[in-house]
Amino acid sequence: MWQLFQFPLCPFSRKVRLVLGEKGVAHELVRENPWERRDEFIDLNPAGETPVLVDSTAGIALIGSQPIVEFFDETVDKMPMIHGNGAARAEIRRLTEWFDEKLFREVVEPLMHERMRKRLVSRESPDTRVLREAMRIANGHLDYMDYLLDHRRWIAGAGLSLADFTAAAHLSVVDYLGALDWRGHKQTKDWYAVMKSRPAFRPLLGERMEVIVPPAHYDKVDF
Amino acid sequence: MWQLFQFPLCPFSRKVRLVLGEKGVAHELVRENPWERRDEFIDLNPAGETPVLVDSTAGIALIGSQPIVEFFDETVDKMPMIHGNGAARAEIRRLTEWFDEKLFREVVEPLMHERMRKRLVSRESPDTRVLREAMRIANGHLDYMDYLLDHRRWIAGAGLSLADFTAAAHLSVVDYLGALDWRGHKQTKDWYAVMKSRPAFRPLLGERMEVIVPPAHYDKVDF
């Protein structure tokens, strides 16, 4: 049985959980707070980051969301994540990187720092200037997604793909932390309602991170 | 004919150039300074980052180093970059991400900002505190590479892979900017001498970024 080392608000763990759920890969969750830098976890992943997926019977540790997803997309046919011809696959990977790197660096990481780690770890108040800037940039990302969804059925093209699950994983963390204003983003809101209603997403939306309470609309498909 | 939009000190462009060279994919270089945010380039890649690889006859634009590399690894058999069984492929992708994300964020990006963009764009002096910290962390990365190369023939395992070319691409930028101290890192130094001597690496090492002069050892295989 696979064990996934993760914590509830880790966007990369959420991405992996959505993909494992869609592909029907059985796994159990192991709670890991990377900021505690537990020795056994650093031995497993020297970068000290979640997610890590371990099969201790087979002696395999898969580290990082993209290596994990590529592993299962190569070995489990159900619900292909990176599909189509070469150009289509490159577009799926481009947009997956867009959310994993650009949205994460500009929006998700600053929000997690201000609203989660400062609260749980250093017990400081959030910097409202940083929060406002992250929310402003988040709005620009929603504009870009609206534009994409005006031109195609799903984020990276005609088919549901890894780009959709990656976007939904990161946005769900931003939404949990109360930093998304959905007004004026009908295309992306409609798309996100569809994503939220998928069975693989439901257990994720039901979980709570200790102390931090999401807004009332967070887990509602109709929001 | 493919056209690669890039600039000489972009580590991600270097990674793509090494892979295209190893695989024998003909391409021409187009100089692009992403900090100028040229309209036509932003139209091509809304993230505004190099590398972008365009085949205008076929109407294809591949964006970002990893999507480009995966595209050619799927379509060109020569010199496989991500190879072996599932666990081996995950290890190659883990270490590729290590250099593309962790080494880049902690070392390459701060150095490029202090020693390249400040010089070429904003004409400020570099912040010596930031430079010292980046060099200290670079030394830690060399320690980790020494450790890996103590246990395996190449960075990610028994075979030469994308992890080696990615590491070499990033390290070559750090070395150009004079921030690597090779003393005490015999394993990584020997590995890097082998990488430098590959025909795909030679043209790269012969190029210069305007105004910025690399140290004398930079392009020497025996250094």
Side-chain angles (χ1 to χ4, degrees):
Chain A
M1 170 78 115
W2 293 101
Q3 288 190 309
L4 182 67
F5 290 77
Q6 57 88 47
F7 66 97
L9 280 181
C10 169
F12 300 101
S13 302
R14 288 181 171 224
K15 170 184 167 189
V16 167
R17 291 177 65 185
L18 290 174
V19 170
L20 294 179
E22 293 285 345
K23 287 186 172 284
V25 177
H27 59 283
E28 59 178 38
L29 301 178
V30 181
R31 173 65 183 264
E32 183 68 43
N33 296 331
W35 54 87
E36 293 174 0
R37 299 192 63 76
R38 199 167 56 85
D39 286 346
E40 293 81 358
F41 187 63
I42 304 288
D43 286 346
L44 208 51
N45 178 11
E49 292 163 2
T50 47
V52 176
L53 189 66
V54 173
D55 180 344
S56 44
T57 322
I60 301 177
L62 306 174
I63 296 165
S65 74
Q66 197 59 21
I68 294 172
V69 168
E70 299 269 1
F71 178 95
F72 287 100
D73 215 36
E74 288 170 358
T75 53
V76 178
D77 288 339
K78 187 181 173 191
M79 179 61 82
M81 289 284 155
I82 303 170
H83 48 69
N85 65 18
R89 296 165 67 84
E91 179 67 353
I92 292 167
R93 287 196 174 98
R94 170 181 85 86
L95 285 161
T96 299
E97 280 199 12
W98 178 284
F99 299 108
D100 275 345
E101 294 177 18
K102 194 170 167 64
L103 178 68
F104 177 72
R105 181 181 69 234
E106 296 174 348
V107 177
V108 185
E109 166 56 25
L111 281 169
M112 289 174 75
H113 184 68
E114 298 298 330
R115 290 220 163 134
M116 186 194 74
R117 281 197 301 271
K118 278 192 175 175
R119 180 102 184 245
L120 294 180
V121 188
S122 61
R123 314 219 172 230
E124 297 166 81
S125 305
D127 182 330
T128 53
R129 200 188 45 82
V130 173
L131 288 178
R132 266 201 307 273
E133 178 65 3
M135 290 169 79
R136 191 186 65 77
I137 299 174
N139 200 54
H141 279 275
L142 291 181
D143 285 341
Y144 183 52
M145 293 176 72
D146 289 342
Y147 163 82
L148 292 172
L149 293 165
D150 264 344
H151 291 80
R152 27 176 89 158
R153 172 76 185 85
W154 298 97
I155 293 288
L160 175 62
S161 78
L162 181 60
D164 297 282
F165 294 107
T166 306
H170 286 276
L171 279 192
S172 70
V173 174
V174 180
D175 201 30
Y176 190 112
L177 294 172
L180 284 185
D181 182 350
W182 289 102
R183 287 171 302 175
H185 300 289
K186 178 165 176 13
Q187 295 91 328
T188 305
K189 196 177 174 209
D190 290 349
W191 162 89
Y192 190 51
V194 172
M195 297 303 290
K196 272 177 147 178
S197 66
R198 296 190 71 85
F201 212 157
R202 302 305 306 156
L204 257 164
L205 293 170
E207 279 176 31
R208 295 292 174 267
M209 186 89 188
E210 57 276 13
V211 186
I212 302 163
V213 180
H217 71 261
Y218 165 71
D219 56 2
K220 301 202 171 44
V221 170
D222 186 11
F223 58 105
Chain B
M1 169 78 116
W2 292 101
Q3 288 190 309
L4 182 68
F5 290 78
Q6 58 88 47
F7 67 97
L9 280 180
C10 169
F12 301 101
S13 302
R14 287 182 172 223
K15 170 184 167 189
V16 167
R17 291 176 66 185
L18 291 174
V19 170
L20 295 179
E22 294 285 344
K23 286 186 172 285
V25 177
H27 59 283
E28 60 178 39
L29 302 177
V30 181
R31 173 64 184 265
E32 183 69 43
N33 296 331
W35 54 88
E36 294 174 0
R37 299 193 61 79
R38 198 167 58 85
D39 286 346
E40 293 81 358
F41 186 64
I42 304 290
D43 287 346
L44 207 50
N45 179 10
E49 291 164 2
T50 49
V52 176
L53 189 66
V54 173
D55 180 344
S56 43
T57 321
I60 302 176
L62 306 174
I63 295 165
S65 74
Q66 197 60 19
I68 294 172
V69 168
E70 299 268 2
F71 178 95
F72 287 100
D73 215 36
E74 288 170 358
T75 54
V76 178
D77 288 339
K78 188 181 173 191
M79 179 61 83
M81 288 285 155
I82 302 169
H83 48 69
N85 65 18
R89 296 165 67 84
E91 179 67 353
I92 292 168
R93 288 196 173 98
R94 171 181 85 86
L95 285 161
T96 298
E97 280 198 13
W98 179 283
F99 299 109
D100 274 346
E101 293 177 19
K102 194 170 166 64
L103 178 70
F104 178 71
R105 181 181 68 235
E106 295 174 348
V107 177
V108 186
E109 166 57 24
L111 281 169
M112 289 175 75
H113 184 68
E114 298 299 329
R115 288 219 164 134
M116 186 193 76
R117 281 196 301 271
K118 278 193 174 175
R119 180 102 184 244
L120 295 179
V121 187
S122 61
R123 316 224 169 226
E124 296 166 79
S125 306
D127 181 330
T128 53
R129 199 189 45 81
V130 173
L131 287 178
R132 264 201 309 272
E133 178 65 2
M135 289 168 80
R136 189 187 65 77
I137 299 174
N139 199 56
H141 280 276
L142 291 180
D143 285 340
Y144 183 51
M145 293 176 71
D146 289 342
Y147 163 82
L148 292 171
L149 293 165
D150 264 344
H151 292 79
R152 25 175 92 161
R153 171 77 186 85
W154 297 96
I155 294 287
L160 175 63
S161 78
L162 181 59
D164 298 281
F165 293 108
T166 305
H170 286 276
L171 280 192
S172 71
V173 173
V174 180
D175 201 31
Y176 190 112
L177 294 172
L180 284 185
D181 182 349
W182 288 103
R183 288 171 301 177
H185 300 290
K186 178 163 174 17
Q187 296 92 327
T188 306
K189 195 177 176 211
D190 290 348
W191 163 89
Y192 190 51
V194 173
M195 295 304 289
K196 272 177 146 178
S197 65
R198 296 190 70 85
F201 213 156
R202 303 305 307 156
L204 257 165
L205 293 170
E207 279 177 29
R208 294 295 173 266
M209 186 87 188
E210 58 275 11
V211 186
I212 303 163
V213 179
H217 72 260
Y218 165 71
D219 56 2
K220 300 203 171 44
V221 170
D222 186 12
F223 58 104

